[in-house]
């Protein structure tokens, strides 16, 4: 059974640029959630995708957007990067109605 | 707004000593409760969870947590810690009855540092 995989593991961008982070969900899972974990903080919910539709969103601006593909993999896109976007971005998959999230190891984004 | 409070940002302890990591949540509605562990440069791993039933839940590596509804707490305990338990521990809650029960609200974490 393949777990949740994320890419890239690390990346550096400059202010104003755009970034795309990718996530492959665990086998059998059709729901993907994205979380932002700033340094020294707990993860914060960005949004969730279920069957290619956004299914709940946290308190993040519209420049944070996402996609889910028919194979249930997902992308997180962030436009117009700001310094405060520097964080570990965690993807988690779950089987809908199951509730338990399985996390990937994250993509660490540094914005200079 | 719902929130999770982890009262201690850091807990230093010697090996083989007992430890308690405290967690309180704010809500009067039914909840699901979780503890996750994060080792350096890694993602989150589920340590244990309370969904319903017995208020005392245990993990396979000796941790346990007790759901206390009246105190709105879900403290994590281990009677004897090991060096390998050094990690960041996050308490999280999701709310029954909400449309999105997968959504977790996390505390700010407690850094457990075990010394030899």
């Amino acid at each position: 059974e393949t777990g949740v995989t994320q890419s890239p593991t690390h990346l550096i961008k400059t202010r104003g640029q755009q970034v795309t982070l990718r996530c492959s969900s665990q086998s059998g899972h059709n729901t993907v959630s994205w979380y932002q974990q700033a340094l020294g903080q707990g993860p914060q919910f960005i949004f969730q995708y279920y069957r290619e539709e956004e299914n709940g969103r946290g308190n993040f601006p519209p420049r944070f957007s996402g996609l889910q593909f028919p194979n249930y993999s997902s992308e997180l896109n962030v436009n117009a990067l700001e310094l405060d976007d520097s964080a570990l971005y965690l993807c988690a998959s779950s089987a809908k109605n199951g509730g338990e999230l399985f996390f990937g190891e994250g993509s660490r984004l540094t914005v200079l | 707004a719902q929130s999770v409070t982890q009262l201690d940002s850091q807990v230093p302890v010697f090996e083989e000593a007992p430890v308690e990591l405290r967690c309180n949540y704010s809500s009067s509605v039914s909840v699901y409760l979780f503890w996750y562990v994060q080792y350096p440069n890694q993602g989150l791993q589920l340590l244990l969870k309370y969904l319903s039933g017995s208020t005392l839940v245990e993990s396979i590596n000796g941790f346990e947590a007790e759901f206390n509804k009246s105190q709105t707490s879900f403290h994590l305990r281990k009677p004897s810690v090991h060096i390998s338990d050094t990690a960041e521990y996050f308490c999280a809650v999701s709310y029954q009855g909400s449309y999105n029960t997968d959504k977790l609200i996390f505390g700010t974490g407690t850094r457990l540092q075990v010394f030899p």
Side-chain angles (χ1 to χ4, degrees):
Chain A
E1 183 178 90
T2 305
V4 178
T5 59
Q6 293 186 241
S7 63
T9 54
H10 296 81
L11 69 167
I12 300 173
K13 293 285 189 178
T14 57
R15 270 188 308 175
Q17 285 189 310
Q18 179 265 344
V19 68
T20 297
L21 308 178
R22 296 177 176 84
C23 172
S24 294
S25 60
Q26 184 165 311
S27 176
H29 289 179
N30 57 15
T31 303
V32 173
S33 304
W34 287 91
Y35 286 79
Q36 181 196 64
Q37 186 180 12
L39 195 63
Q41 300 295 316
Q44 291 193 24
F45 176 72
I46 303 175
F47 43 56
Q48 182 185 84
Y49 278 83
Y50 171 61
R51 293 186 176 177
E52 303 177 53
E53 298 283 336
E54 188 177 287
N55 183 44
R57 187 179 182 93
N59 188 26
F60 281 82
R63 58 190 185 84
F64 285 77
S65 63
L67 285 172
Q68 187 180 31
F69 301 99
N71 66 354
Y72 304 128
S73 66
S74 177
E75 287 183 355
L76 165 66
N77 299 289
V78 187
N79 293 321
L81 284 168
E82 301 177 359
L83 296 179
D84 285 348
D85 296 332
S86 294
L88 181 67
Y89 288 85
L90 295 166
C91 171
S93 72
S94 60
K96 195 61 179 174
N97 299 324
E100 181 174 338
L101 299 182
F102 291 82
F103 284 84
E105 296 195 349
S107 294
R108 186 166 295 283
L109 171 64
T110 301
V111 182
L112 302 176
Chain B
Q2 292 115 352
S3 65
V4 176
T5 302
Q6 293 185 244
L7 297 166
D8 306 296
S9 59
Q10 295 187 62
V11 173
V13 64
F14 287 107
E15 194 172 18
E16 297 184 6
V19 70
E20 178 179 81
L21 308 184
R22 296 179 290 172
C23 172
N24 288 86
Y25 63 94
S26 66
S27 177
S28 60
V29 301
S30 297
V31 296
Y32 299 123
L33 293 157
F34 305 83
W35 276 99
Y36 281 86
V37 59
Q38 186 176 38
Y39 298 101
N41 299 314
Q42 293 189 24
L44 301 174
Q45 299 175 31
L46 180 65
L47 190 58
L48 47 75
K49 61 186 178 185
Y50 169 78
L51 303 181
S52 64
S54 172
T55 58
L56 184 66
V57 291
E58 299 177 352
S59 72
I60 58 173
N61 56 355
F63 283 94
E64 65 178 29
E66 186 161 19
F67 170 52
N68 187 322
K69 188 174 182 179
S70 63
Q71 307 262 338
T72 61
S73 68
F74 191 55
H75 300 332
L76 181 70
R77 302 184 184 95
K78 188 171 186 180
S80 176
V81 294
H82 191 268
I83 294 282
S84 61
D85 293 324
T86 295
E88 190 87 20
Y89 291 79
F90 292 94
C91 180
V93 61
S94 69
Y95 293 89
Q96 298 181 31
S98 68
Y99 177 67
N100 198 346
T101 55
D102 300 4
K103 173 187 172 182
L104 295 179
I105 298 172
F106 284 88
T108 53
T110 297
R111 169 88 176 147
L112 175 63
Q113 179 74 55
V114 181
F115 295 95

